[in-house]
Structure formats: structure tokens, C-alpha cells
Amino acid sequence: MSRGPWSDPEYRIRIVRRPEGEAPEWVRDAWIGVEMPVLVPEPVATFGFGVLTGPKNIVLDWILGAIGRAKPVSGYVVAADTAVASLMERSPAAAEWWRTQVPYLVRTGARFVFDAPACERIP
């Protein structure tokens, strides 16, 4: 499945500090050192929800976004399933947290946005 023009492996990031977010600190710390492909080569400004307090399905996500309930976020966009698979190599326990606590986010087509200061572009 194509993920867009920027899914070429040459566009990658490495997480270099704890990302922002609602996941527990130990889970966010587990991302440090993980490398993964990005869907867009530069950080983007978009809107999103917290992983614990956000909507649990795509329809509610769309409705709440349409009425202005999403918050602004900025960073690198990655495929959620690919990100968690990359995390699995470094920390199976943290990957399992994503799969058990927020399984609706770890699906094909879902996206994570990692804040730019937590990331380093890999040349």
C-alpha cells in the first residue's frame, strides 16, 4: 500500500527526546532512539486530539474536528502502525501499551504526529 509521495525510506526521523503527549512518561521515553519513515518530509501544522482524551472512532474524530474541538499540533507525521512496529523493536512493553490501551489508534490509515523538537531528520 502506498503511503504517499514521501513514504520513501530516505525520509526518516529519529526520536531524540521524550515526545509530547498523553501517553505515560515511560511509554513516551521508550520512543527515544526509535527511527521511522515519515509521510511528509517536513513538520506540518495540523489539528489533533490527545491519545487518551480524544475520540475513540473516526466518525467522532471527524465531527469534533469539524466543530473546532481539535487542538493545534505541529510536527512530523508518521503512519501509526509503522511507528508502533518500529517501537516494538526497541521496547515491546511500550508497543504493547499502544496496542492494548488505545488499539483504535494503531490501525492502518491512522497517523501520529511527533512534535518537531523531539525529532531529528535522518539524512
Side-chain angles (χ1 to χ4, degrees), residues 3 6-7 11-15 19 31 34-44 46 74-87 98 105-115 119-121:
R3 297 192 186 273
W6 306 112
S7 60
Y11 295 101
R12 299 178 64 81
I13 57 168
R14 177 182 303 115
I15 306 301
W31 288 109
V34 173
E35 296 180 7
M36 65 197 92
V38 294
L39 299 176
V40 181
E42 299 296 330
V44 299
T46 186
S74 180
Y76 288 95
V77 180
V78 301
D81 55 345
T82 300
V84 173
S86 299
L87 178 63
W98 286 99
L105 295 178
V106 185
R107 60 177 168 69
T108 301
R111 307 287 187 249
F112 286 167
V113 178
F114 286 92
D115 59 296
C119 305
E120 170 183 88
R121 281 276 312 268

Side-chain angles (χ1 to χ4, degrees), residues 49-105:
F49 298 96
V51 298
L52 297 175
T53 59
K56 309 294 187 254
N57 68 62
I58 197 160
V59 173
L60 191 54
D61 183 288
W62 185 85
I63 292 169
L64 292 175
I67 64 171
R69 297 285 303 271
K71 64 180 183 174
V73 294
S74 180
Y76 288 95
V77 180
V78 301
D81 55 345
T82 300
V84 173
S86 299
L87 178 63
M88 179 73 174
E89 296 174 18
R90 183 167 206 81
S91 175
E96 186 63 17
W97 183 91
W98 286 99
R99 291 187 178 117
T100 59
Q101 299 302 310
V102 289
Y104 50 90
L105 295 178

